Amino acid sequence: MNYAYYPGCSAKGSSADYEKSTQAVCAVLGMNLVEIPGWNCCGSTPAHAVDTELSAALCSRNLDIAAQQGVEKLLTPCPSCLSNLRHTAKRMENPQFRARVDELLDNPAAPDFPGVTSVMQGMAAHCDANGIASFIRKDLGQLTLAPYYGCLMSRPADIMDFGDPENPTLMECLLAACGAKVLDFPLKTACCGASYGIPERTMTARLSARILRLATDMKADAIVAACPLCQMNLDLRQPQAAKEADAIFAMPVLYFTQIMGLAFGLSPDTLGLEKLRVSASALLDKLEPAPSISKTPVEGGQSCE
Amino acid sequence: MRIGVFVCHCGSNIAGTVDCAKVAEIAKNFPDVVYADDPMYTCAEPGQAAIEAAIHEHKLDGVVVASCSPRMHEATFRRTVERAGLNRYMFEMANIREHVSWIGKEQQANTNKSAELVEIAVAKLRNNRPLAAKTFDVTKKTLIVGGGVAGIQAALDCAEGGIPVILVERESTIGGKMAKLDKTFPTVDCSACILGPKMVDVAQHPGITLYACAEIEEVSGYVGNFSVKIRKRATYIDWEKCTGCGACSEKCPSKKTPDVFNEFTGTTTAINIPFPQAIPKKAVINAQYCRQFTKGKCGVCAKVCPAGAIDYAMQDSFVTEEVGCIIAATGYELMDWTIYQEYGGGRYPDVITSLQYERLLSASGPTGGHIVRPSDGREPQTIVFIQCVGSRDNSIGRPYCSGFCCMYTAKQAILTKDHLPQSRSYVFYMDIRTPGKMYDEFSRRAVEEYGVEYIRGRVSAVYPDGLGRYVVMGADTLLGEPVEIRADMVVLAVGIEAAKNAPALAEKLRISYDKYGFFMESHVKLKPVETNTAGVFLAGVCQGAKDIPASVAQGSAAAAKALALFARDKLENDPQTAQVDARRCVGCGKCIRCCPFGAITETEIRNEKKAQVIETVCQGCGLCTSTCPQGAVQLSHATDNQILAEVNALCR
Amino acid sequence: MKNATDMSQRHDSGFTVEVGAQSGQKLSACYQCGNCTAGCPASFVYDRQVNQIMRGVQLGMKDEVLDSRAIWLCLSCSTCSLRCPNNIDVAAVMETLRHMARKENRVAVGNVEKFWFSFLNTVRAFGRSWEIGTMALYMMRSLRLFTDLDLAPEALKKQKLGFKPHVVAQGGASSVTRIFKRYKERAEREGVRP
Amino acid sequence: MPVMKDKELRIVGFLCNWCSYGGADTAGVARAEQPTDLRIIRVPCSGRVDPLFIVKALLSGADGVLVSGCHPRDCHYSSGNFYARRRLEVLKHFLPALGIDNARFEYTWVSASEGQRWQQVVTAFTRRIHTLGAAPGFEDAPLLMKTADMAPAPLRPLGTGKNAPLESLKQAIKEKLPDLACVIGWKQGYDDAHTTPLFAKKPEDVDELVWGPLNAANLAVYLPLFKGKKVGIVVKGCDSRSVVELLQENLVAREDVTIFALPCEGTLDMGRVNEKLGRYNVVGGIAHGATNITITTDGQEHDFSMAEYAQNKCRGCTEPEAVLSDVRMGDSPLVQGEAPVPQELALLDAMNLDERRSFWRTQMERCLRCYACRNACPMCVCRDYCISDSRDPHWMTQEAGVTQKLFFQTIHALHLAGRCTGCGECQRACPVGIPILGLRQHIARTVGELFDNYRAGIDPAAVPPLLGYEVEERNIREREWK
């Protein structure tokens, strides 16, 4: 089944591994992600921090392309892109705002935009927990994982429509369906410091350290992320965080798609695991071949949606 | 008709901006007006005497006073004209103070407006008829719904006053929330020790009939003559036989039954008596957990019961009581705080409610009065109290203050120090609200003598730190900084809400309730115990947040209302009720459908269906009058013709 | 010694009204519980806490608020909005203040804005963001030439960063450039800082 | 007493005793200055305010009327204001049909503590009325005569019912007749070209029953006379809705009425038929074609095609079959398309407020106050006790002016709010042909819009909307005072 897809800029740069694993896992699930043509940057935080209309213009161009293609639902892996696109769709309902944004665009934006949702929700809508379980080739039963959504994915609740804004559970559902032990990770929606790693490094280091510290204390084998920026802060910047916290961290930070890929028996290479700064080799050692392909329904067994 | 008009100066209150003499002069030209005057203070004794004198002298059969609001002095002047021999309803008022002199400064406009208001009053009065109250018998018996401390107090006061009481309690024991408390503020008295004797008095008083495990099914009738159908839920134990020995509970194999009385801090047996001082001290089976019901076999309790009281086949039964008044004292419940996901939403075992903490403090509680963490049974060293959880929070639709949390939090912090001298307590608060006798002194003691740290700010989140403790993320707004505390235990001062089925009961009682389910008093300030339904009174938190002394006081107040009501052998109704002109009535029943009080019934006159007003139930709203197309129902003293006369006086 | 704040002099009610209107929030609903501050992940780098910013806005203390560093260091994570007991979208207020400050060229934390522009410049040029380009521009602007130098070897080794910008096909890049151009022109026309 | 010229306008307020009157007192105690125009009439509850008081005031010279009660949920009588809200909202929509600007009437909620809000309300409303100026009267509106257009093409083929299973129906009636006091139907009237009601008590009476386009009369009007007796009634689709409405209102008991129904193929506009027939001495015969009838008077044939001579309401009819029946025969006709805006209503819609006042003045000058409209209405069950000709209550004077007559029409229309099924008998009965149906249609449309497309006389179990309420009304929005 084809899905219109907006990868976001980091997919083509710092989070190539997220992109790679997303594509691989979706392929296993029978989801064919088709990039909308000629998409541009959503503007990320800088655009809306500078001007809401500028941000909306950048997003509207993408939504407009999707609308021209007749797309009904657009998937994106990046929560920041998702947030910007969804905020824009909401703000464009205001005619005055829309008129101001249209002034910035080559052509006035389409009157109706397609819905935008996360790849994670897209997967859950595509197949239920049993469906996911049927693809499992490796036993993740030895892995204890700390799911981490970051602050953007679930809020504001009315815009993001991602379950309880304090306590989203979709990733838990997917990871559990993959057979892993999932922690009730209290800081799952705490902020990692976002893009302030560059202009205000201490802040990002302190915030990331807090998350890494808790995951370490809760004896997680890995933090599982859903956001390129969060992953970068927690993984690439882990030494900065460790220095700030005066601690030693050795916490692998994987994308949820990488974990799912491992469960599906995909090779580390296919999942881009070599891009991780903190090696996931300890995780790989804990994987065992699934004794037999589980046909018994997963507990709950119902849809993750 | 001979009408007298009195245009009051009210000192300068009216005369300052209204030419009262001129108004009186104009009034003399209105139809049927034979006398007009402008006294200085009409309501004062000489003013009233002048009215009486004028009635006699000019043979008046109707009086209009133009002065302040009828809401102020209508009753006063009605008594005045009555003293002079007129029917009290042959009197009208024109409000030329609140509605004229106080809201405009132009004398000419005000004078003109005042004269018109007098004209309206005269027009209405010309259509007035003398009305007389009807008398009826009363059943001198009180029904009290809810056996918490407010209901208990009301029951004892009524019974002491010689009025028989029916006390209906939903749970298997009376005592309510107070029975669950360890100590009470500000004296740190043992709650059970002061409530227990009152509960025993209820059990032993010959004038009180107690139905526990019972609820109100149906209410009909009116003040003085209510008929209340009560559902007695099946307890599966014949209480006539049960001696409360507790043998059944000792032997019951279902030991994992959630302990409602202990706020789920522990477990109990499927057959049990909630606590040692329970009244009535009778066992009840929780059918959801009893093996006899869930598995179809067990029967242990039936075997061990020395009295042979167990009856697994018991069904709900009904009893109907005739009473003269009803006191609602249904109390409150804690709101469902688990919507606060930022405090763990109920997932963290050591984040508990204040009422659960109360059970941990209590010697009769699941831990025997030792403060230990539910998660691992260890004594906590650092305890954080968070106030206003579910109070003053608009984001969850609870803007109101729950009133007593500040005080019990201070009490709990003090008791914590008593139990665990090495412990440290922190209280996050927004404001400390302690407006009671010795209350603020008490909360200051918590700080000054017990070293409780009060931190001014709300808590944003609580989460486990992975090492067995909890991180409490708060703010100290006085410091202007975020603060963090590693706590072993977190106690939430959870806000209150009305009992779950309070709205359903209100519908049965035909009393109003606010959007939070609290019952509405008749007047916020002046009738805090009465409701809009005559003969239904309120006591305790069901009317709004209040602490134990206030609940007890209101319980006594409600009892006083009941005793006052029953001080007379006959009751009089307010004659401003609807009347049906049976000739005009076509029996369509539209009035019956709309009447908010069920005050209109169907009757048969010469084989034709007709509407009939029960005058004692009718509250005089007049909805029926504006509903009846034939004008067959007319509200006395606000008839179509009376209002039309007013409209016609204005619009011609 | 600092004199007491003369409240009667300080109150710029126009500012309060303007912030309320632009953010769409009822500022008077704030009763200073401090929940925003308690949950704010960035609070430790703030010069004024979020609740103090809110109080400042309520009191019309325009200079104190718009010149604060806090409004620039807000991470826009909206934890404050989520937990506000009075349903105030505090994050929207912070963003509104940032917009207002920018338009008046009051930038208390220059590096933050420099980083944003570095990022947006790459977007303007190529239609998509380009990490190395952003970094290079930022280092030049902020004169912080050693920013994240410690990360460079690892990042480069892992091929985390593309040396070449990713250019949007089908004329997309120039289309985005035009968006920026129109944005700038309009801002100049309206006399605000773009 | 005259208002102060050039300074005040006549504004009447109806305030509930418990909240709003108290609110006005609170405003006074707070010395909250207000315009002096308003005159307050104290009533126990906003639910006591019969909308007719408001119309009475507006027709008698008030320039504005304000009703204020307790806030929803705060009613001293628990639900009086909920009923008031529905009734006053319907009135608010209805006033323009008469040509009265509904900005002249407002209702609102003010509690006893809201002195400030009361001041705001009075000030804003008075300012509004002054902006509108003195209310224009009806007596001096320029004359304006307008007539309704003919309705567009019917939604189903119209016919003469000549193939209807009349004989089977008669048989069915005869079978039920022993249990019934009588069966109401139509029989031939004073000549072949007219019908008159039939009250069949014996089997041979039943043989007189006729069926066809001459059966224009709605026999449901007779049902309430038989209240308490078991009767049968033969109905057309439209008549059946009147029966259902009577059932809804407990005016007839379901077990007392047996409904016989045939699918209706349309009825003739007898007004126009009679006009064409003119004066004649004798009807020579009447012939039913499939889509026309031919009446021969004094030897001359007159052809009446259903397409041309059917009643307007039959063209827009979507319910040729009874909505409720006990005995039903005949084939179901196929109805295609949505009911159009009725012609009388379209006529009103096309006029502005000034034109409507002119229009109603013109029409009311023709009104004879004969009450034929009322007597023909199946919903006018008050009969001898209609408030328009009683002294207690004394709503109307005997004065024959335009406003009195229009007030009578308003009484009828408002008493039919949420009850009128649009059978059109009132208008058909009017000897001078006033299109009064438009007022009823106007209210029926409002009721539909406000209360989830409610239509009177469809569901016997449905609560008529003005006899019920919702705590949160879906389609009634509180208007804010600025």
Side-chain angles (χ1 to χ4, degrees), chain B residues 107-116, chain D residues 1-2 4 8 39:
Chain B
Q107 190 171 48
Q108 202 197 345
N110 280 359
T111 304
N112 180 53
K113 183 176 178 183
S114 300
E116 285 196 30
Chain D
M1 178 161 298
M4 299 185 74
E8 284 182 357
R39 306 289 180 262

Side-chain angles (χ1 to χ4, degrees), chain D residues 410-432:
Chain D
T410 306
I411 292 175
H412 194 187
L414 283 174
H415 276 179
L416 283 170
R419 306 172 63 225
C420 175
T421 62
C423 77
E425 288 294 275
C426 48
Q427 183 170 301
R428 208 172 65 82
C430 180
V432 293

Side-chain angles (χ1 to χ4, degrees), chain A residues 14 100 104 106 166 196, chain C residues 72 83 131 178 182 190:
Chain A
S14 55
R100 296 273 298 171
L104 302 180
D106 285 352
E166 291 278 2
Y196 281 71
Chain C
W72 294 91
R83 295 177 187 160
E131 284 128 343
R178 286 196 294 277
R182 291 189 201 104
E190 292 172 353

Side-chain angles (χ1 to χ4, degrees), chain D residues 117-188:
Chain D
R117 178 175 157 85
W118 174 251
Q119 178 192 29
Q120 236 177 351
V121 165
V122 175
T123 311
F125 189 70
T126 309
R127 194 190 309 125
R128 183 203 288 184
I129 299 303
H130 276 271
T131 310
L132 292 169
F138 283 82
E139 278 88 354
D140 44 4
L143 290 169
L144 175 69
M145 189 68 192
K146 277 186 182 239
T147 47
D149 292 337
M150 202 161 96
L155 304 176
R156 65 179 149 120
L158 296 180
T160 61
K162 67 182 285 195
N163 297 322
L166 180 59
E167 291 311 313
S168 320
L169 184 73
K170 285 181 183 169
Q171 198 50 46
I173 293 174
K174 283 178 189 167
E175 280 167 24
K176 300 258 185 192
L177 196 57
D179 301 330
L180 304 172
C182 86
V183 172
I184 313 169
W186 300 267
K187 65 179 180 183
Q188 190 201 303

